[in-house]
Amino acid sequence: GLQESMLETVIPRGDGDRVMVVLGEHAGRVGRILEREPARSQVLVQLQREAGRVVQLDYDAVCHYVGGAEDD
């Protein structure tokens, strides 16, 4: 009985913390936060397994990731 309006995205506080992309073309990918832009509600994320690939994403497109390595 959960509705989307009842949920809130959790963005880790520390730089270098891991996130999973949950929306868009990179959904399912894990990466590390490089930088936050709170005024724009965006984060700069370096994706794992895509050496050097950095993407700018909205807070709603990522969530805190506490799982194992992406290739586990």
Side-chain angles (χ1 to χ4, degrees), residues 35-43 56 59:
E35 184 179 314
R36 281 177 195 70
E37 292 186 39
R40 296 175 60 199
S41 297
Q42 293 186 332
V43 289
Q56 184 88 23
Y59 282 179

Side-chain angles (χ1 to χ4, degrees), residues 4 9 20-29 57-63:
E4 187 174 342
T9 303
M20 177 176 275
V21 181
V22 296
L23 295 174
E25 72 176 278
H26 303 292
R29 291 291 203 211
L57 300 166
D58 291 331
Y59 282 179
D60 289 340
V62 297
C63 67

Side-chain angles (χ1 to χ4, degrees), residues 26-72:
H26 303 292
R29 291 291 203 211
V30 174
R32 292 199 181 275
I33 293 178
L34 298 177
E35 184 179 314
R36 281 177 195 70
E37 292 186 39
R40 296 175 60 199
S41 297
Q42 293 186 332
V43 289
L44 193 62
V45 175
Q46 182 173 22
L47 299 175
Q48 290 179 354
R49 298 182 59 183
E50 295 185 37
R53 180 89 189 252
V54 176
V55 293
Q56 184 88 23
L57 300 166
D58 291 331
Y59 282 179
D60 289 340
V62 297
C63 67
H64 191 186
Y65 180 72
V66 295
E70 190 176 44
D71 55 358
D72 284 350

